[in-house]
PDB file of all heavy atoms in Angstrom:
ATOM      1  N   ALA A 231     -42.068  21.277  47.102  1.00 93.00           N
ATOM      2  CA  ALA A 231     -42.536  22.601  47.533  1.00 93.00           C
ATOM      3  C   ALA A 231     -43.040  22.626  48.977  1.00 93.00           C
ATOM      4  O   ALA A 231     -42.721  23.569  49.718  1.00 93.00           O
ATOM      5  CB  ALA A 231     -43.615  23.109  46.579  1.00 93.00           C
ATOM      6  N   PRO A 232     -43.823  21.635  49.443  1.00 94.00           N
ATOM      7  CA  PRO A 232     -44.304  21.714  50.828  1.00 94.00           C
ATOM      8  C   PRO A 232     -43.183  21.768  51.864  1.00 94.00           C
ATOM      9  O   PRO A 232     -43.221  22.607  52.787  1.00 94.00           O
ATOM     10  CB  PRO A 232     -45.152  20.437  50.979  1.00 94.00           C
ATOM     11  CG  PRO A 232     -45.606  20.124  49.602  1.00 94.00           C
ATOM     12  CD  PRO A 232     -44.460  20.507  48.723  1.00 94.00           C
ATOM     13  N   ILE A 233     -42.172  20.910  51.749  1.00 94.00           N
ATOM     14  CA  ILE A 233     -41.103  20.907  52.747  1.00 94.00           C
ATOM     15  C   ILE A 233     -40.260  22.170  52.636  1.00 94.00           C
ATOM     16  O   ILE A 233     -39.776  22.701  53.652  1.00 94.00           O
ATOM     17  CB  ILE A 233     -40.230  19.635  52.605  1.00 94.00           C
ATOM     18  CG1 ILE A 233     -39.209  19.545  53.735  1.00 94.00           C
ATOM     19  CG2 ILE A 233     -39.538  19.589  51.263  1.00 94.00           C
ATOM     20  CD1 ILE A 233     -39.796  19.362  55.101  1.00 94.00           C
ATOM     21  N   ILE A 234     -40.096  22.706  51.420  1.00 94.00           N
ATOM     22  CA  ILE A 234     -39.336  23.952  51.262  1.00 94.00           C
ATOM     23  C   ILE A 234     -40.070  25.109  51.918  1.00 94.00           C
ATOM     24  O   ILE A 234     -39.486  25.898  52.677  1.00 94.00           O
ATOM     25  CB  ILE A 234     -39.089  24.229  49.768  1.00 94.00           C
ATOM     26  CG1 ILE A 234     -38.097  23.205  49.193  1.00 94.00           C
ATOM     27  CG2 ILE A 234     -38.565  25.641  49.556  1.00 94.00           C
ATOM     28  CD1 ILE A 234     -37.889  23.323  47.693  1.00 94.00           C
ATOM     29  N   VAL A 235     -41.379  25.223  51.653  1.00 95.00           N
ATOM     30  CA  VAL A 235     -42.157  26.324  52.231  1.00 95.00           C
ATOM     31  C   VAL A 235     -42.233  26.199  53.755  1.00 95.00           C
ATOM     32  O   VAL A 235     -42.034  27.188  54.485  1.00 95.00           O
ATOM     33  CB  VAL A 235     -43.571  26.351  51.609  1.00 95.00           C
ATOM     34  CG1 VAL A 235     -44.454  27.370  52.336  1.00 95.00           C
ATOM     35  CG2 VAL A 235     -43.487  26.690  50.127  1.00 95.00           C
ATOM     36  N   MET A 236     -42.508  24.991  54.251  1.00 94.00           N
ATOM     37  CA  MET A 236     -42.579  24.791  55.702  1.00 94.00           C
ATOM     38  C   MET A 236     -41.231  25.106  56.355  1.00 94.00           C
ATOM     39  O   MET A 236     -41.169  25.705  57.432  1.00 94.00           O
ATOM     40  CB  MET A 236     -42.987  23.355  56.013  1.00 94.00           C
ATOM     41  CG  MET A 236     -44.407  23.006  55.620  1.00 94.00           C
ATOM     42  SD  MET A 236     -45.663  23.877  56.580  1.00 94.00           S
ATOM     43  CE  MET A 236     -45.482  23.069  58.186  1.00 94.00           C
ATOM     44  N   GLY A 237     -40.151  24.705  55.698  1.00 94.00           N
ATOM     45  CA  GLY A 237     -38.836  24.978  56.256  1.00 94.00           C
ATOM     46  C   GLY A 237     -38.510  26.458  56.294  1.00 94.00           C
ATOM     47  O   GLY A 237     -37.964  26.961  57.282  1.00 94.00           O
ATOM     48  N   LEU A 238     -38.846  27.165  55.221  1.00 93.00           N
ATOM     49  CA  LEU A 238     -38.558  28.600  55.168  1.00 93.00           C
ATOM     50  C   LEU A 238     -39.415  29.395  56.141  1.00 93.00           C
ATOM     51  O   LEU A 238     -38.966  30.397  56.721  1.00 93.00           O
ATOM     52  CB  LEU A 238     -38.753  29.124  53.746  1.00 93.00           C
ATOM     53  CG  LEU A 238     -37.745  28.655  52.692  1.00 93.00           C
ATOM     54  CD1 LEU A 238     -38.165  29.113  51.301  1.00 93.00           C
ATOM     55  CD2 LEU A 238     -36.346  29.170  53.020  1.00 93.00           C
ATOM     56  N   VAL A 239     -40.665  28.968  56.332  1.00 94.00           N
ATOM     57  CA  VAL A 239     -41.598  29.752  57.148  1.00 94.00           C
ATOM     58  C   VAL A 239     -41.549  29.339  58.621  1.00 94.00           C
ATOM     59  O   VAL A 239     -41.493  30.195  59.515  1.00 94.00           O
ATOM     60  CB  VAL A 239     -43.033  29.607  56.608  1.00 94.00           C
ATOM     61  CG1 VAL A 239     -44.033  30.349  57.502  1.00 94.00           C
ATOM     62  CG2 VAL A 239     -43.110  30.144  55.180  1.00 94.00           C
ATOM     63  N   PHE A 240     -41.527  28.044  58.893  1.00 93.00           N
ATOM     64  CA  PHE A 240     -41.655  27.560  60.276  1.00 93.00           C
ATOM     65  C   PHE A 240     -40.403  26.844  60.792  1.00 93.00           C
ATOM     66  O   PHE A 240     -40.391  26.431  61.958  1.00 93.00           O
ATOM     67  CB  PHE A 240     -42.851  26.605  60.392  1.00 93.00           C
ATOM     68  CG  PHE A 240     -44.162  27.213  59.974  1.00 93.00           C
ATOM     69  CD1 PHE A 240     -44.771  26.845  58.778  1.00 93.00           C
ATOM     70  CD2 PHE A 240     -44.784  28.168  60.766  1.00 93.00           C
ATOM     71  CE1 PHE A 240     -45.973  27.402  58.395  1.00 93.00           C
ATOM     72  CE2 PHE A 240     -45.996  28.731  60.395  1.00 93.00           C
ATOM     73  CZ  PHE A 240     -46.592  28.351  59.187  1.00 93.00           C
ATOM     74  N   GLY A 241     -39.405  26.691  59.970  1.00 92.00           N
ATOM     75  CA  GLY A 241     -38.247  25.912  60.375  1.00 92.00           C
ATOM     76  C   GLY A 241     -37.317  26.637  61.327  1.00 92.00           C
ATOM     77  O   GLY A 241     -37.333  27.867  61.443  1.00 92.00           O
ATOM     78  N   THR A 242     -36.504  25.858  62.013  1.00 92.00           N
ATOM     79  CA  THR A 242     -35.430  26.409  62.829  1.00 92.00           C
ATOM     80  C   THR A 242     -34.338  26.936  61.880  1.00 92.00           C
ATOM     81  O   THR A 242     -34.350  26.622  60.690  1.00 92.00           O
ATOM     82  CB  THR A 242     -34.862  25.331  63.758  1.00 92.00           C
ATOM     83  OG1 THR A 242     -34.379  24.243  62.940  1.00 92.00           O
ATOM     84  CG2 THR A 242     -35.933  24.802  64.706  1.00 92.00           C
ATOM     85  N   PRO A 243     -33.406  27.737  62.364  1.00 93.00           N
ATOM     86  CA  PRO A 243     -32.376  28.307  61.461  1.00 93.00           C
ATOM     87  C   PRO A 243     -31.660  27.283  60.590  1.00 93.00           C
ATOM     88  O   PRO A 243     -31.504  27.519  59.378  1.00 93.00           O
ATOM     89  CB  PRO A 243     -31.429  29.008  62.433  1.00 93.00           C
ATOM     90  CG  PRO A 243     -32.328  29.439  63.549  1.00 93.00           C
ATOM     91  CD  PRO A 243     -33.328  28.333  63.713  1.00 93.00           C
ATOM     92  N   PRO A 244     -31.215  26.138  61.119  1.00 93.00           N
ATOM     93  CA  PRO A 244     -30.583  25.161  60.206  1.00 93.00           C
ATOM     94  C   PRO A 244     -31.540  24.667  59.122  1.00 93.00           C
ATOM     95  O   PRO A 244     -31.136  24.455  57.973  1.00 93.00           O
ATOM     96  CB  PRO A 244     -30.165  24.020  61.144  1.00 93.00           C
ATOM     97  CG  PRO A 244     -30.046  24.644  62.484  1.00 93.00           C
ATOM     98  CD  PRO A 244     -31.116  25.686  62.521  1.00 93.00           C
ATOM     99  N   MET A 245     -32.799  24.500  59.504  1.00 94.00           N
ATOM    100  CA  MET A 245     -33.779  24.040  58.525  1.00 94.00           C
ATOM    101  C   MET A 245     -34.053  25.107  57.473  1.00 94.00           C
ATOM    102  O   MET A 245     -34.252  24.802  56.290  1.00 94.00           O
ATOM    103  CB  MET A 245     -35.075  23.639  59.232  1.00 94.00           C
ATOM    104  CG  MET A 245     -36.135  23.056  58.298  1.00 94.00           C
ATOM    105  SD  MET A 245     -35.529  21.558  57.458  1.00 94.00           S
ATOM    106  CE  MET A 245     -36.706  21.437  56.122  1.00 94.00           C
ATOM    107  N   LYS A 246     -34.070  26.362  57.874  1.00 93.00           N
ATOM    108  CA  LYS A 246     -34.263  27.448  56.911  1.00 93.00           C
ATOM    109  C   LYS A 246     -33.142  27.450  55.871  1.00 93.00           C
ATOM    110  O   LYS A 246     -33.383  27.634  54.669  1.00 93.00           O
ATOM    111  CB  LYS A 246     -34.313  28.793  57.632  1.00 93.00           C
ATOM    112  CG  LYS A 246     -35.578  29.044  58.450  1.00 93.00           C
ATOM    113  CD  LYS A 246     -35.541  30.411  59.103  1.00 93.00           C
ATOM    114  CE  LYS A 246     -36.742  30.644  60.012  1.00 93.00           C
ATOM    115  NZ  LYS A 246     -38.009  30.730  59.262  1.00 93.00           N
ATOM    116  N   ALA A 247     -31.917  27.236  56.329  1.00 93.00           N
ATOM    117  CA  ALA A 247     -30.788  27.198  55.405  1.00 93.00           C
ATOM    118  C   ALA A 247     -30.902  26.025  54.438  1.00 93.00           C
ATOM    119  O   ALA A 247     -30.656  26.154  53.239  1.00 93.00           O
ATOM    120  CB  ALA A 247     -29.478  27.120  56.194  1.00 93.00           C
ATOM    121  N   LEU A 248     -31.306  24.861  54.963  1.00 93.00           N
ATOM    122  CA  LEU A 248     -31.456  23.684  54.108  1.00 93.00           C
ATOM    123  C   LEU A 248     -32.601  23.873  53.116  1.00 93.00           C
ATOM    124  O   LEU A 248     -32.514  23.439  51.962  1.00 93.00           O
ATOM    125  CB  LEU A 248     -31.695  22.448  54.968  1.00 93.00           C
ATOM    126  CG  LEU A 248     -31.695  21.100  54.238  1.00 93.00           C
ATOM    127  CD1 LEU A 248     -30.351  20.879  53.537  1.00 93.00           C
ATOM    128  CD2 LEU A 248     -31.980  19.964  55.201  1.00 93.00           C
ATOM    129  N   ALA A 249     -33.675  24.527  53.572  1.00 93.00           N
ATOM    130  CA  ALA A 249     -34.810  24.778  52.675  1.00 93.00           C
ATOM    131  C   ALA A 249     -34.406  25.717  51.536  1.00 93.00           C
ATOM    132  O   ALA A 249     -34.864  25.562  50.398  1.00 93.00           O
ATOM    133  CB  ALA A 249     -35.981  25.366  53.458  1.00 93.00           C
ATOM    134  N   ALA A 250     -33.547  26.693  51.843  1.00 92.00           N
ATOM    135  CA  ALA A 250     -33.056  27.587  50.785  1.00 92.00           C
ATOM    136  C   ALA A 250     -32.250  26.799  49.756  1.00 92.00           C
ATOM    137  O   ALA A 250     -32.364  27.037  48.546  1.00 92.00           O
ATOM    138  CB  ALA A 250     -32.209  28.699  51.399  1.00 92.00           C
ATOM    139  N   LEU A 251     -31.451  25.842  50.222  1.00 91.00           N
ATOM    140  CA  LEU A 251     -30.726  24.977  49.291  1.00 91.00           C
ATOM    141  C   LEU A 251     -31.688  24.104  48.480  1.00 91.00           C
ATOM    142  O   LEU A 251     -31.397  23.718  47.351  1.00 91.00           O
ATOM    143  CB  LEU A 251     -29.737  24.092  50.050  1.00 91.00           C
ATOM    144  CG  LEU A 251     -28.539  24.796  50.686  1.00 91.00           C
ATOM    145  CD1 LEU A 251     -27.712  23.807  51.494  1.00 91.00           C
ATOM    146  CD2 LEU A 251     -27.683  25.468  49.628  1.00 91.00           C
ATOM    147  N   GLY A 252     -32.842  23.797  49.099  1.00 90.00           N
ATOM    148  CA  GLY A 252     -33.844  22.996  48.400  1.00 90.00           C
ATOM    149  C   GLY A 252     -34.369  23.683  47.152  1.00 90.00           C
ATOM    150  O   GLY A 252     -34.744  23.008  46.185  1.00 90.00           O
ATOM    151  N   VAL A 253     -34.396  25.026  47.170  1.00 91.00           N
ATOM    152  CA  VAL A 253     -34.832  25.751  45.973  1.00 91.00           C
ATOM    153  C   VAL A 253     -33.855  25.494  44.821  1.00 91.00           C
ATOM    154  O   VAL A 253     -34.262  25.250  43.682  1.00 91.00           O
ATOM    155  CB  VAL A 253     -34.939  27.258  46.269  1.00 91.00           C
ATOM    156  CG1 VAL A 253     -35.325  28.024  45.004  1.00 91.00           C
ATOM    157  CG2 VAL A 253     -35.962  27.517  47.379  1.00 91.00           C
ATOM    158  N   ALA A 254     -32.557  25.539  45.133  1.00 90.00           N
ATOM    159  CA  ALA A 254     -31.552  25.241  44.106  1.00 90.00           C
ATOM    160  C   ALA A 254     -31.673  23.799  43.628  1.00 90.00           C
ATOM    161  O   ALA A 254     -31.537  23.513  42.431  1.00 90.00           O
ATOM    162  CB  ALA A 254     -30.157  25.509  44.662  1.00 90.00           C
ATOM    163  N   LEU A 255     -31.943  22.888  44.556  1.00 87.00           N
ATOM    164  CA  LEU A 255     -32.126  21.484  44.182  1.00 87.00           C
ATOM    165  C   LEU A 255     -33.310  21.332  43.236  1.00 87.00           C
ATOM    166  O   LEU A 255     -33.251  20.549  42.275  1.00 87.00           O
ATOM    167  CB  LEU A 255     -32.337  20.637  45.431  1.00 87.00           C
ATOM    168  CG  LEU A 255     -32.718  19.174  45.187  1.00 87.00           C
ATOM    169  CD1 LEU A 255     -31.573  18.427  44.502  1.00 87.00           C
ATOM    170  CD2 LEU A 255     -33.100  18.489  46.489  1.00 87.00           C
TER     171      LEU A 255
END
Side-chain angles (χ1 to χ4, degrees):
I233 186 65
I234 291 175
V235 172
M236 292 293 289
L238 291 173
V239 176
F240 302 107
T242 59
M245 184 60 197
K246 288 181 184 293
L248 188 59
L251 291 175
V253 177
L255 173 65

